[in-house]
Structure formats: C-alpha cells, structure tokens
Amino acid sequence: MDWLWWIGAALLFAVVEVVTLSFVLIMFAGGALVAAVANALGWPFWVQVVVFGVVSTILLLTFRRWLVLRFHRSTPRTLTNADALVGREAVVLAPVSESGGRVKLSGEVWTARVPRGALELPTGDHVRVVRIEGATAVVEPLALGTGTADPATAGGA
C-alpha cells in the first residue's frame, strides 16, 4: 500500500499544476506515477526515489518545451491595459497637436498628441490611437482629409 503515497504525490503535483500552468509540476506527477509502479513491483525506496528523479528529469527535458509551445499556440492572445487601446477610436475634446491635447478614449479623458509633423486635430474630430506612450495617447485622424486642420493655418502662417 506504500504506492498510494506516490499516487497521492502525483495528484498533489497535478492539482498545483492546474493552478500554476508552469508545466513543471505535471512532469513531477509523471515521475511519481512511475515511482508508484516501481513500488508496486517491490523495488526498494531508494530506487523509487531515483526512478522518480530520472523520469521527472527526462519528462522536463523532452516534453515540457513542446507542451509550452503547444499551449501558447492554442491560446488566443488577449490584449490588456494600454495594449488594448491601440487601434481604438477616440473623440478630440481639446485640440491635439504635437505638444498635447485631450481625447475621450474608452469613456476616459486622456492626454493626447499627434505624431511629429502631423497637423493639429480640432475639437470634435474622430481619431484612431496609434500607440500609447506612458499616459499619453498618440493619435491620428481616422481617414486622410477628415478632420485635419487647414494646412495654411496649421503652421501658424
């Protein structure tokens, strides 16, 4: 009945693996299962421990990398925080230039600016977020020619 200790260890490793998803403890669970078989065959405890260590190491070196790659390939990437805002539409609340401005983005007011060399965007324009730099949204007009200031007045001429 000593093999049940190995089975219990394997179950414990498997349960903790479900929480961590590191694909390390599941390899230890495999080693514990093979050690349980060694116990059932009547092998001495020190041999069971060696079997546990060797099998766990072999599993870590051969299968872990493949499992991690497969897991990441099959899991869709969910954008969060600032990454989720890139590409979203915003509305200009205060004129946006290279030096600053304000936009309403996802229900919040953000500091915004246009990329270097771009025209100032007037209040009310709809813009798209190009990137987030710290707490500032870098924006551009939704479509060329839509909502851009008159080039003759934008440069202060």
Side-chain angles (χ1 to χ4, degrees):
M1 292 296 264
D2 289 338
W3 58 272
L4 285 175
W5 287 104
W6 286 111
I7 298 294
L11 288 173
L12 182 64
F13 285 133
V15 166
V16 176
E17 177 64 46
V18 167
V19 175
T20 64
L21 284 178
S22 63
F23 296 109
V24 171
L25 297 175
I26 198 70
M27 304 306 164
F28 291 155
L33 289 175
V34 175
V37 171
N39 182 283
L41 293 173
W43 294 357
F45 181 73
W46 70 269
V47 174
Q48 296 170 36
V49 172
V50 169
V51 165
F52 168 76
V54 168
V55 169
S56 296
T57 302
I58 289 171
L59 289 173
L60 276 169
L61 295 175
T62 58
F63 290 111
R64 183 181 181 275
R65 183 180 185 102
W66 175 78
L67 277 174
V68 169
L69 289 174
R70 182 168 179 171
F71 177 75
H72 288 296
R73 203 173 346 177
S74 66
T75 304
R77 183 167 185 255
T78 302
L79 298 175
T80 58
N81 301 327
D83 292 334
L85 298 175
V86 175
R88 290 222 173 163
E89 186 176 325
V91 177
V92 176
L93 298 177
V96 179
S97 65
E98 287 183 35
S99 60
R102 299 250 182 229
V103 296
K104 186 161 193 160
L105 172 62
S106 295
E108 298 177 341
V109 177
W110 279 71
T111 302
R113 70 172 187 81
V114 294
R116 185 167 287 145
L119 299 174
E120 184 175 295
L121 302 171
T123 303
D125 265 12
H126 290 267
V127 295
R128 182 172 320 282
V129 176
V130 177
R131 65 182 174 276
I132 302 290
E133 293 178 351
T136 302
V138 179
V139 298
E140 66 183 8
L142 277 179
L144 291 176
T146 303
T148 57
D150 181 8
T153 60

